[in-house]
């Protein structure tokens, strides 16, 4: 029973870490672009961030 609880906790922690990393990259993508008129360079930066996910 304890082994199952530890395994479940480890999976939850791994999922949470992955979720936080994806959220951090989404925030970086949002900051990399001006939303009213994005330039080609800004779109390239966003694509580079998206490829690393």
């Amino acid at each position: 029973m304890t082994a199952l609880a530890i395994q479940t906790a480890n999976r939850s922690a791994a999922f949470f870490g992955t979720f936080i990393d994806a959220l951090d990259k989404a925030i970086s993508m949002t900051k990399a672009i001006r939303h009213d008129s994005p330039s080609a360079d800004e779109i390239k930066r966003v694509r580079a961030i998206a490829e690393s996910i």
Side-chain angles (χ1 to χ4, degrees), residues 2-28:
T2 303
L4 179 61
I6 291 172
Q7 185 180 25
T8 303
N10 283 339
R11 285 184 182 173
S12 295
F15 173 77
F16 186 68
T18 303
F19 178 74
I20 294 297
D21 288 342
L23 186 60
D24 184 48
K25 289 183 182 190
I27 291 168
S28 297

Side-chain angles (χ1 to χ4, degrees), residues 13 44 53:
K44 286 179 185 177
I53 295 177

Side-chain angles (χ1 to χ4, degrees), residues 15 17 22 29 37 39 43 46 49:
F15 173 77
M29 289 167 59
S37 59
S39 69
I43 292 173
V46 169
I49 294 168

